[in-house]
Amino acid sequence: MTTTHTEHKPTQVTGHTRTGGDVVFSIVNYSFFILLAVLCAYPFYYLIINSVSANDLSALGDVRLFPQGFHLSNFEQVFHLQGLPMAAAVSLARTVIGTTATVLASAFLGFMFTQERMWARRFWYRFVVITMYFSAGLIPLFIIMKNLGLTNNFWVYVLPFVVQPFFIVLVKTYVEGMPRELQEAAEVDGASVLRVFFMIYLPNMTPILATVAIFAAVTQWNSFQDTLIYVTDQSLYTLQYLLYMFINQANSLAQAAQNAGGNLGALADAASTQTPTSIRMTVSVLVVLPIIFIYPLFQRFFVKGIMLGAVKG
Amino acid sequence: MSSPVVVTEAVTTTLDHTPDKKGRVRADKPRRKTSFKLFLLISPFLVLSFLFAYYPLYGWVYSLYDYKPALGLSGSEFVGLQWFRLLVSSPTQVDQILQVLTNTLAISFLGLATSILPLLFAVLLNEVKITRFRNAVQTLTTLPNFISWVLVYMIAFSLFSSTGLVNDVLLDSGLITTPIKFLDTDQHVWLSMTLWSIWKGLGWGAIIYLAAISGIDPSLYESAKMDGAGRFQTMRYVTIPQLMPTYLVLLLLSVANLLNNGMEQYYVFQNAFNKEHIQVLDLYVYNIGMTGNSLSMATAIGMLKSLISVALLFSVNAFAKRVRGQSLV
């Protein structure tokens, strides 16, 4: 965030330049941004207040500005929905495993591609980077995945994401900015390349790896298309996919709602009985909450990521 | 190149750093060995890159067959260029593909036309002097970029479906008597898709310009001020021109991506009502290939799309090289 602050600002408005037009402009400008911020933030707020309001009220669409009949039992109840605990586990697993794999591979390859002694280094570097600019297309990819046995396979969520040219370029650029002497000194002491990587470079790459990690994690968590194309096995559905089904399949959802309510027996009164609306809202909030929490904390990494990308572009 | 020499010596790397011109023949072997060992270390990743980026190109041969998954490639009939001919000769097919191309290009051009908005957003936000306010706006407006299209659709559904918030409010206030169908309609599909893209990407797209603004030479502002330029003139004659190079690079890149709208957004928003106008190329390939089971036809179309996209990228890159003296990629 700090990177985007401008330095020249304070001097620009002081003095005699403040005219009536300026004041009007400022009012319009501030109002415009308040409006934009509300347009971006309110939908999230709307989902959240509906997920914690009485379910009979949220089903009528009466919860608009503040939660009504506040309760948190939805978040416990949705986990009784068939398939949801599994989908949450799959989403979590692919995010953790996929992100770890992407980060380690990007760090390693970014480092290795700076090793000038490597056989045909330039060729292999281009071999990897050029894949950013073409794609065989959805169907050939689907057929190949099928031939490789990766359809209906958890690893389809991880393996295609391991080698990511863009991240490798980011890391390589970063490593090139680190002092070469680090490696030379260690090698004089007899350290192998792997040792140099793990003991010296990896621990000193954390700023760039944090950026890579946060992008990779968001991509993994949000991914929907790969489930749609490569997966029919319900035990491999992700939260995103389940949410999509919940939005479109009102009938099966009502059924699911009944089952979820049944598990709770006496507790189920009108305010806490699951409705299609309450289920959709609650699952949406489950899906979006990690992003909302993580995003402001890591915003500077996101910003750094796009800046580094821009330098390259 | 170097034969797979068995590594017997533990430390060969240090030898590399003592190149001895006379002992070149002796020094060569361990060096080559190290060099190849380094390659071996990354080779598993090269295999992954090959499998998921290069090997699928082989799948293009499916466009020459009448591929039936149950029969496998060897059991499927070889039909040569039949699918490509069908694309230009069968009237229904031609109609369909023209409609899909129209949708694709219309949405892409609306995207190009609105691509200036993030720049304007940045220029205006830069006029906001209260840092906290500016940061808050940035955080809130970039958030939509980090949610999935499924969630965007969920938001669209809860706000704009016939039982959604907007219709509820309009009905309650008596402005309308029957719900407006915002989503289940064939009206303004291109426009509403563009608006959702803007909602999702505007704040994020502005970040790059905000950074570019902070990199503008302050002396430009000082001389503008000395020349008596007001706030608007400074924006008009200093800030915006300074951002133009960045804007043009991004614009050229989106020209290269004219055919690549992606399918996720259109897939989640598609329904029986808007299907005709929402089908962009990527979605069409999915629809006929995965749902319609015309895998070979879908491969043929996808292949043409990929080739045209690469050609576009090359042209745009060559253009940039000539005009800017610097390539894009």
Side-chain angles (χ1 to χ4, degrees), chain B residues 14-25:
Chain B
T14 46
L15 285 172
D16 281 358
H17 291 279
T18 52
D20 177 16
K21 275 192 180 160
K22 282 182 185 170
R24 210 191 151 106
V25 186

Side-chain angles (χ1 to χ4, degrees), chain B residues 111-161:
Chain B
L112 290 181
T114 53
S115 63
I116 194 79
L117 293 179
L119 187 153
L120 296 178
F121 179 105
V123 172
L124 291 177
L125 189 60
N126 186 50
E127 296 299 317
V128 167
K129 304 299 182 298
I130 307 167
T131 313
R132 269 170 181 279
F133 180 85
R134 195 164 55 186
N135 289 350
V137 167
Q138 244 187 39
T139 304
L140 293 176
T141 53
T142 44
L143 190 56
N145 186 62
F146 293 97
I147 62 169
S148 63
W149 277 109
V150 174
L151 207 72
V152 175
Y153 179 62
M154 172 63 200
I155 286 169
F157 185 85
S158 36
L159 297 184
F160 294 104
S161 72

Side-chain angles (χ1 to χ4, degrees), chain A residues 54-56 71 73-74 77 261 264 267-275 278:
Chain A
N55 294 347
D56 46 345
H71 72 122
S73 63
N74 285 344
Q77 287 190 49
L264 287 154
L267 268 176
D269 56 73
S272 61
T273 303
Q274 292 302 314
T275 66
S278 72

